[in-house]
Amino acid sequence: MSAPTTAIRSVSPARWSAPRQSETPGDTGAQPDETTADDEYQRDQSPQAIVVERLTKVFDARPVLRGVSFSLGQGRTLALLGPNGAGKSTLLRILATLSRPTGGRVIVMGHDLAREANAARWAIGYLGHQTGLYGELTARENLLFFARMYGLRDGAKRADALLARVGLRARANDHVGKFSRGQAQRLALARGMLHDPAVLLLDEPDTGLDEDALALLSELLDERTRQGQTTLFTTHQLARGLAQSHQTLVLLRGRVAYDGPSAALDLAAVCDLYGGEA
Amino acid sequence: MKTVTRAPSGALERDTARARPAEQTRPGWRTGLAGAMKRYGPYAEAALGAVTAIGMLLTIWAALVYAPTDLIEGPVQRIFYIHVPMAWLAYLAFFLVAAASVMYLITRDDRWDWFARANAEIGAVFTTFVLITGSLWGKSFWGAWWVWDARLTTTLILWFIYVVYLVVRSFWGRTAQGARNAAVYGILAFFVVPINYEAVTWWRTLHPSEVLPLGGTPQLPPAMVIALLLSLGAFTLLFAFLLLQVYRLERAQATVERLRAQLEEE
Amino acid sequence: MRLAWGQLWAIVGKDLRLELRTRQVWMSMGVFALLALLIFSFAFDLRVENKAAVGPGALWVAFIFASMLGLGRNIAAEQERGPMDRLLLCPVDRTVIYLAKVIGNVIFIGVVEAVALPVFAALYDLPIITGLIVLITLLGTIGIAAVGVIFSALAANTRAREFLLPLLVFPIIIPVVLGSVRATEALVNPIHGDPPWLGLIIAFDIICLSVSAILFQFVVEE
């Protein structure tokens, strides 16, 4: 628990203690103010939002996760990296209570998912590969439906505020089926944040987004950090992922290959890690 | 390559059947039993096979020679020494499918799924034989291959449930999702069968009544009862023997799939 | 508890709204039920002496086949963009999702039946439009939906779902078929000392609803 797990295969451990970059390379999004070189990586001093212990998942005799352990403090942002098939989406689905782990323990905001899944669902927002919206309903109706599912009293007010926040106020009464991929993704983000979840899980939120939407996404992530909320996202845009997060977790074939501060990791090292495996 | 810290996950990869980390399996009577099975299993199985074979031979003798010929029904009545035990065992298998399905949903242990599937396969075969022997008897006694009698109809519905169970399982393949779905089907079907029986009884009834009224005086001559009990015992042994074989076949197929998955991985 | 109640009607309301907007399922179910009644009247060449015996059977076969269309469609629509995840993510008891889907489907099928019943009574010239037929139809439909919802969810997460649904449902709903047909027959031709078919359907509904409500979570969750 005390030391970051760094089970590195076929790469010498020394690689990862390479001198920190004073500037994060390939900076595209807005950089969270905390992510500086001297930001201390202190996992044990803040309360934990997510604790994962020896998590395994076997899909029909195919091991996808082979003993993943990590933890994420509240108010931190974690970038989950790894090549296709590394188990990123599976890990996110398990964290989102959509998939039941084969073994191990997952605790989100103090709730053990094996026992208190429904309690944990209040604290979890999730956006998967599918937008999870109803095409025949309008953007506003979609949000109102999910507001009722969470029993939100000020559902209408929150829905309108979020629609404005993601820049869809003008299209609030249009059917979602007619939305472009980028617009649907914005609305899906709004849906994921509707109940103001303490932990937000985003599976490749940046696919299909234009520059404006990407800027919005990183603004939203910064906002969450300022409010002390936790975010975990996966991405294939390595540079952006490193720039946007405090902590990075690299999965390779269902195992943790790197778990540590994003600032200590440089792009070339990550690429090397990918290359060593894939 | 293999280190101490990696041992739990490595063990898990090898034993996906248990679908849980190795450290959670507590040592105890289970592992003791597994060890005993491994050591004495083949002998016990051979003994079971031998006893079953002897029992079946005895049943043939009892049914064809020992038991007296029925005065009203004639020699065709002797078919009931096959028909009745198989019907009972078909219903037992149906119950075991449901019970194993409940256990599977609770534990997610693949072995319960194999057990449920093995029971369904044998149950389907037994039900088929029940229907065939029943209609042979019916042709002689009622003069028709099939009548829409309550117990016949219930058995036919049971046969359909088994067949659907096996058909959809082959559609779903050997996946966890398929196993869960099949378990749900098996449990729900089990709860519906009594209502089914009640409905069809109200609809119509022709079947001969209970042959062994429990607690009352048997209507059958003692020799017939003995022959029936003997055949019931022999068929139960046969059922157990077949169950063991099919269960092992299920396990072997699951192992093959697991190995294939691992091969593709590498 | 109040939250669960709100969630239940939120899902029912959402499904009705979706359906009102497209109307595809209702239209196809309704047309199918009427077509089936028409085909049956050709197939059995209804004459005065046999229509009372054949009519109720034809009616219920039409209802059941139309229900299969609607049931398959409803769950498939829920899984269209992501397998039911969007509902499962919400802090909602899985039993609530199941019950909401049953209520929604009873309403869908009920609307179709409300259209088909008068047409049936007119086509076959049978005096069945009484208060009791509403009760029989409602109870029978609940039974069909109770089994149909869990099995269409079960078929939907696998391939060949349209094909599998009737295969799974038909052997199970035989008591409902028997009960509803006999009870409807009794309306046309009252028989003295008829067994309590309605009671049987009620027993079936209660058992299937409660067992499926418990089992539903195992179908939808990974």
mmCIF file of all heavy atoms in Angstrom, chain C residues 111-138:
data_model
loop_
_atom_site.group_PDB
_atom_site.id
_atom_site.type_symbol
_atom_site.label_atom_id
_atom_site.label_comp_id
_atom_site.label_asym_id
_atom_site.label_seq_id
_atom_site.Cartn_x
_atom_site.Cartn_y
_atom_site.Cartn_z
ATOM 1 N N VAL C 111 -53.022 -1.969 -25.227
ATOM 2 C CA VAL C 111 -53.601 -1.061 -26.225
ATOM 3 C C VAL C 111 -53.951 -1.836 -27.488
ATOM 4 O O VAL C 111 -55.036 -1.694 -28.054
ATOM 5 C CB VAL C 111 -52.616 0.088 -26.537
ATOM 6 C CG1 VAL C 111 -53.071 0.851 -27.761
ATOM 7 C CG2 VAL C 111 -52.500 1.005 -25.345
ATOM 8 N N VAL C 112 -53.018 -2.725 -27.901
ATOM 9 C CA VAL C 112 -53.266 -3.527 -29.095
ATOM 10 C C VAL C 112 -54.488 -4.417 -28.883
ATOM 11 O O VAL C 112 -55.363 -4.550 -29.755
ATOM 12 C CB VAL C 112 -52.016 -4.364 -29.431
ATOM 13 C CG1 VAL C 112 -52.325 -5.345 -30.541
ATOM 14 C CG2 VAL C 112 -50.875 -3.446 -29.818
ATOM 15 N N GLU C 113 -54.583 -5.012 -27.696
ATOM 16 C CA GLU C 113 -55.710 -5.903 -27.407
ATOM 17 C C GLU C 113 -57.027 -5.136 -27.393
ATOM 18 O O GLU C 113 -58.056 -5.635 -27.857
ATOM 19 C CB GLU C 113 -55.481 -6.592 -26.060
ATOM 20 C CG GLU C 113 -54.396 -7.658 -26.142
ATOM 21 C CD GLU C 113 -53.950 -8.151 -24.778
ATOM 22 O OE1 GLU C 113 -54.156 -7.432 -23.786
ATOM 23 O OE2 GLU C 113 -53.406 -9.255 -24.709
ATOM 24 N N ALA C 114 -56.978 -3.901 -26.868
ATOM 25 C CA ALA C 114 -58.196 -3.104 -26.805
ATOM 26 C C ALA C 114 -58.727 -2.815 -28.211
ATOM 27 O O ALA C 114 -59.933 -2.700 -28.422
ATOM 28 C CB ALA C 114 -57.925 -1.791 -26.070
ATOM 29 N N VAL C 115 -57.805 -2.725 -29.170
ATOM 30 C CA VAL C 115 -58.240 -2.512 -30.554
ATOM 31 C C VAL C 115 -58.723 -3.823 -31.164
ATOM 32 O O VAL C 115 -59.758 -3.876 -31.842
ATOM 33 C CB VAL C 115 -57.079 -1.927 -31.396
ATOM 34 C CG1 VAL C 115 -57.471 -1.850 -32.858
ATOM 35 C CG2 VAL C 115 -56.672 -0.572 -30.858
ATOM 36 N N ALA C 116 -57.991 -4.897 -30.871
ATOM 37 C CA ALA C 116 -58.271 -6.169 -31.537
ATOM 38 C C ALA C 116 -59.544 -6.830 -31.005
ATOM 39 O O ALA C 116 -60.249 -7.515 -31.754
ATOM 40 C CB ALA C 116 -57.079 -7.115 -31.379
ATOM 41 N N LEU C 117 -59.862 -6.637 -29.726
ATOM 42 C CA LEU C 117 -61.013 -7.330 -29.133
ATOM 43 C C LEU C 117 -62.349 -7.001 -29.828
ATOM 44 O O LEU C 117 -63.071 -7.922 -30.224
ATOM 45 C CB LEU C 117 -61.095 -7.028 -27.640
ATOM 46 C CG LEU C 117 -60.545 -8.108 -26.708
ATOM 47 C CD1 LEU C 117 -60.633 -7.654 -25.271
ATOM 48 C CD2 LEU C 117 -61.294 -9.414 -26.897
ATOM 49 N N PRO C 118 -62.687 -5.707 -29.967
ATOM 50 C CA PRO C 118 -63.956 -5.412 -30.645
ATOM 51 C C PRO C 118 -63.979 -5.935 -32.078
ATOM 52 O O PRO C 118 -65.016 -6.450 -32.530
ATOM 53 C CB PRO C 118 -64.021 -3.886 -30.628
ATOM 54 C CG PRO C 118 -63.041 -3.435 -29.625
ATOM 55 C CD PRO C 118 -62.017 -4.494 -29.504
ATOM 56 N N VAL C 119 -62.837 -5.831 -32.753
ATOM 57 C CA VAL C 119 -62.776 -6.341 -34.122
ATOM 58 C C VAL C 119 -63.033 -7.842 -34.128
ATOM 59 O O VAL C 119 -63.785 -8.371 -34.944
ATOM 60 C CB VAL C 119 -61.395 -6.027 -34.760
ATOM 61 C CG1 VAL C 119 -61.300 -6.648 -36.135
ATOM 62 C CG2 VAL C 119 -61.182 -4.530 -34.819
ATOM 63 N N PHE C 120 -62.427 -8.529 -33.164
ATOM 64 C CA PHE C 120 -62.614 -9.961 -33.049
ATOM 65 C C PHE C 120 -64.091 -10.288 -32.801
ATOM 66 O O PHE C 120 -64.673 -11.170 -33.448
ATOM 67 C CB PHE C 120 -61.751 -10.501 -31.906
ATOM 68 C CG PHE C 120 -62.078 -11.893 -31.470
ATOM 69 C CD1 PHE C 120 -61.653 -12.977 -32.216
ATOM 70 C CD2 PHE C 120 -62.816 -12.123 -30.322
ATOM 71 C CE1 PHE C 120 -61.957 -14.263 -31.813
ATOM 72 C CE2 PHE C 120 -63.131 -13.410 -29.920
ATOM 73 C CZ PHE C 120 -62.697 -14.479 -30.664
ATOM 74 N N ALA C 121 -64.708 -9.574 -31.839
ATOM 75 C CA ALA C 121 -66.100 -9.832 -31.497
ATOM 76 C C ALA C 121 -66.992 -9.636 -32.725
ATOM 77 O O ALA C 121 -67.938 -10.402 -32.942
ATOM 78 C CB ALA C 121 -66.543 -8.918 -30.369
ATOM 79 N N ALA C 122 -66.663 -8.635 -33.547
ATOM 80 C CA ALA C 122 -67.473 -8.374 -34.720
ATOM 81 C C ALA C 122 -67.242 -9.425 -35.804
ATOM 82 O O ALA C 122 -68.182 -9.992 -36.351
ATOM 83 C CB ALA C 122 -67.157 -6.975 -35.254
ATOM 84 N N LEU C 123 -65.947 -9.727 -36.064
ATOM 85 C CA LEU C 123 -65.608 -10.679 -37.131
ATOM 86 C C LEU C 123 -66.190 -12.060 -36.845
ATOM 87 O O LEU C 123 -66.694 -12.732 -37.731
ATOM 88 C CB LEU C 123 -64.088 -10.805 -37.249
ATOM 89 C CG LEU C 123 -63.323 -9.888 -38.197
ATOM 90 C CD1 LEU C 123 -61.851 -10.237 -38.175
ATOM 91 C CD2 LEU C 123 -63.871 -10.007 -39.607
ATOM 92 N N TYR C 124 -66.081 -12.487 -35.590
ATOM 93 C CA TYR C 124 -66.500 -13.840 -35.242
ATOM 94 C C TYR C 124 -67.917 -13.871 -34.678
ATOM 95 O O TYR C 124 -68.425 -14.927 -34.350
ATOM 96 C CB TYR C 124 -65.523 -14.448 -34.224
ATOM 97 C CG TYR C 124 -64.172 -14.806 -34.797
ATOM 98 C CD1 TYR C 124 -63.365 -13.854 -35.386
ATOM 99 C CD2 TYR C 124 -63.702 -16.122 -34.747
ATOM 100 C CE1 TYR C 124 -62.142 -14.173 -35.918
ATOM 101 C CE2 TYR C 124 -62.470 -16.450 -35.268
ATOM 102 C CZ TYR C 124 -61.685 -15.465 -35.855
ATOM 103 O OH TYR C 124 -60.456 -15.795 -36.375
ATOM 104 N N ASP C 125 -68.500 -12.667 -34.524
ATOM 105 C CA ASP C 125 -69.852 -12.539 -34.013
ATOM 106 C C ASP C 125 -70.031 -13.304 -32.698
ATOM 107 O O ASP C 125 -70.896 -14.178 -32.567
ATOM 108 C CB ASP C 125 -70.858 -13.042 -35.069
ATOM 109 C CG ASP C 125 -72.268 -12.638 -34.675
ATOM 110 O OD1 ASP C 125 -72.398 -11.649 -33.933
ATOM 111 O OD2 ASP C 125 -73.219 -13.320 -35.102
ATOM 112 N N LEU C 126 -69.152 -13.025 -31.731
ATOM 113 C CA LEU C 126 -69.234 -13.681 -30.429
ATOM 114 C C LEU C 126 -69.489 -12.627 -29.356
ATOM 115 O O LEU C 126 -68.843 -11.581 -29.357
ATOM 116 C CB LEU C 126 -67.932 -14.427 -30.110
ATOM 117 C CG LEU C 126 -67.678 -15.705 -30.890
ATOM 118 C CD1 LEU C 126 -66.289 -16.233 -30.590
ATOM 119 C CD2 LEU C 126 -68.721 -16.750 -30.579
ATOM 120 N N PRO C 127 -70.414 -12.874 -28.434
ATOM 121 C CA PRO C 127 -70.740 -11.877 -27.411
ATOM 122 C C PRO C 127 -69.761 -11.938 -26.243
ATOM 123 O O PRO C 127 -70.108 -12.383 -25.154
ATOM 124 C CB PRO C 127 -72.147 -12.292 -26.976
ATOM 125 C CG PRO C 127 -72.158 -13.770 -27.166
ATOM 126 C CD PRO C 127 -71.228 -14.091 -28.297
ATOM 127 N N ILE C 128 -68.537 -11.510 -26.455
ATOM 128 C CA ILE C 128 -67.554 -11.641 -25.376
ATOM 129 C C ILE C 128 -67.199 -10.311 -24.727
ATOM 130 O O ILE C 128 -66.434 -10.279 -23.777
ATOM 131 C CB ILE C 128 -66.240 -12.298 -25.887
ATOM 132 C CG1 ILE C 128 -65.662 -11.484 -27.024
ATOM 133 C CG2 ILE C 128 -66.473 -13.731 -26.283
ATOM 134 C CD1 ILE C 128 -64.217 -11.754 -27.215
ATOM 135 N N ILE C 129 -67.729 -9.213 -25.264
ATOM 136 C CA ILE C 129 -67.336 -7.923 -24.688
ATOM 137 C C ILE C 129 -68.118 -7.694 -23.396
ATOM 138 O O ILE C 129 -69.204 -7.108 -23.373
ATOM 139 C CB ILE C 129 -67.596 -6.781 -25.686
ATOM 140 C CG1 ILE C 129 -66.915 -7.075 -27.014
ATOM 141 C CG2 ILE C 129 -67.095 -5.460 -25.126
ATOM 142 C CD1 ILE C 129 -65.417 -7.077 -26.965
ATOM 143 N N THR C 130 -67.543 -8.184 -22.293
ATOM 144 C CA THR C 130 -68.133 -7.953 -20.983
ATOM 145 C C THR C 130 -67.033 -7.426 -20.067
ATOM 146 O O THR C 130 -65.884 -7.292 -20.492
ATOM 147 C CB THR C 130 -68.692 -9.260 -20.399
ATOM 148 O OG1 THR C 130 -67.596 -10.170 -20.270
ATOM 149 C CG2 THR C 130 -69.759 -9.861 -21.288
ATOM 150 N N GLY C 131 -67.414 -7.156 -18.828
ATOM 151 C CA GLY C 131 -66.395 -6.684 -17.891
ATOM 152 C C GLY C 131 -65.340 -7.753 -17.647
ATOM 153 O O GLY C 131 -64.157 -7.460 -17.493
ATOM 154 N N LEU C 132 -65.793 -9.009 -17.668
ATOM 155 C CA LEU C 132 -64.895 -10.095 -17.301
ATOM 156 C C LEU C 132 -63.767 -10.272 -18.321
ATOM 157 O O LEU C 132 -62.645 -10.613 -17.965
ATOM 158 C CB LEU C 132 -65.715 -11.392 -17.177
ATOM 159 C CG LEU C 132 -65.110 -12.459 -16.279
ATOM 160 C CD1 LEU C 132 -64.793 -11.888 -14.911
ATOM 161 C CD2 LEU C 132 -66.055 -13.638 -16.162
ATOM 162 N N ILE C 133 -64.050 -10.022 -19.608
ATOM 163 C CA ILE C 133 -63.015 -10.225 -20.620
ATOM 164 C C ILE C 133 -61.849 -9.263 -20.357
ATOM 165 O O ILE C 133 -60.687 -9.605 -20.605
ATOM 166 C CB ILE C 133 -63.565 -10.045 -22.050
ATOM 167 C CG1 ILE C 133 -62.541 -10.484 -23.106
ATOM 168 C CG2 ILE C 133 -63.935 -8.605 -22.341
ATOM 169 C CD1 ILE C 133 -62.370 -11.940 -23.227
ATOM 170 N N VAL C 134 -62.147 -8.084 -19.831
ATOM 171 C CA VAL C 134 -61.074 -7.134 -19.517
ATOM 172 C C VAL C 134 -60.152 -7.730 -18.458
ATOM 173 O O VAL C 134 -58.925 -7.697 -18.578
ATOM 174 C CB VAL C 134 -61.672 -5.790 -19.032
ATOM 175 C CG1 VAL C 134 -60.559 -4.830 -18.649
ATOM 176 C CG2 VAL C 134 -62.557 -5.190 -20.105
ATOM 177 N N LEU C 135 -60.789 -8.330 -17.427
ATOM 178 C CA LEU C 135 -59.995 -8.927 -16.353
ATOM 179 C C LEU C 135 -59.161 -10.100 -16.882
ATOM 180 O O LEU C 135 -57.968 -10.215 -16.606
ATOM 181 C CB LEU C 135 -60.932 -9.395 -15.235
ATOM 182 C CG LEU C 135 -60.247 -9.935 -13.995
ATOM 183 C CD1 LEU C 135 -59.453 -8.843 -13.300
ATOM 184 C CD2 LEU C 135 -61.257 -10.559 -13.045
ATOM 185 N N ILE C 136 -59.804 -10.975 -17.671
ATOM 186 C CA ILE C 136 -59.086 -12.136 -18.219
ATOM 187 C C ILE C 136 -57.903 -11.668 -19.063
ATOM 188 O O ILE C 136 -56.778 -12.154 -18.927
ATOM 189 C CB ILE C 136 -60.036 -13.008 -19.086
ATOM 190 C CG1 ILE C 136 -61.164 -13.566 -18.236
ATOM 191 C CG2 ILE C 136 -59.261 -14.126 -19.757
ATOM 192 C CD1 ILE C 136 -62.257 -14.232 -19.049
ATOM 193 N N THR C 137 -58.176 -10.706 -19.938
ATOM 194 C CA THR C 137 -57.125 -10.211 -20.824
ATOM 195 C C THR C 137 -55.988 -9.584 -20.030
ATOM 196 O O THR C 137 -54.810 -9.839 -20.299
ATOM 197 C CB THR C 137 -57.709 -9.177 -21.801
ATOM 198 O OG1 THR C 137 -58.883 -9.719 -22.378
ATOM 199 C CG2 THR C 137 -56.726 -8.848 -22.887
ATOM 200 N N LEU C 138 -56.354 -8.807 -19.017
ATOM 201 C CA LEU C 138 -55.319 -8.149 -18.211
ATOM 202 C C LEU C 138 -54.441 -9.183 -17.515
ATOM 203 O O LEU C 138 -53.197 -9.136 -17.597
ATOM 204 C CB LEU C 138 -55.973 -7.220 -17.186
ATOM 205 C CG LEU C 138 -54.981 -6.466 -16.297
ATOM 206 C CD1 LEU C 138 -54.206 -5.448 -17.113
ATOM 207 C CD2 LEU C 138 -55.685 -5.785 -15.138
#
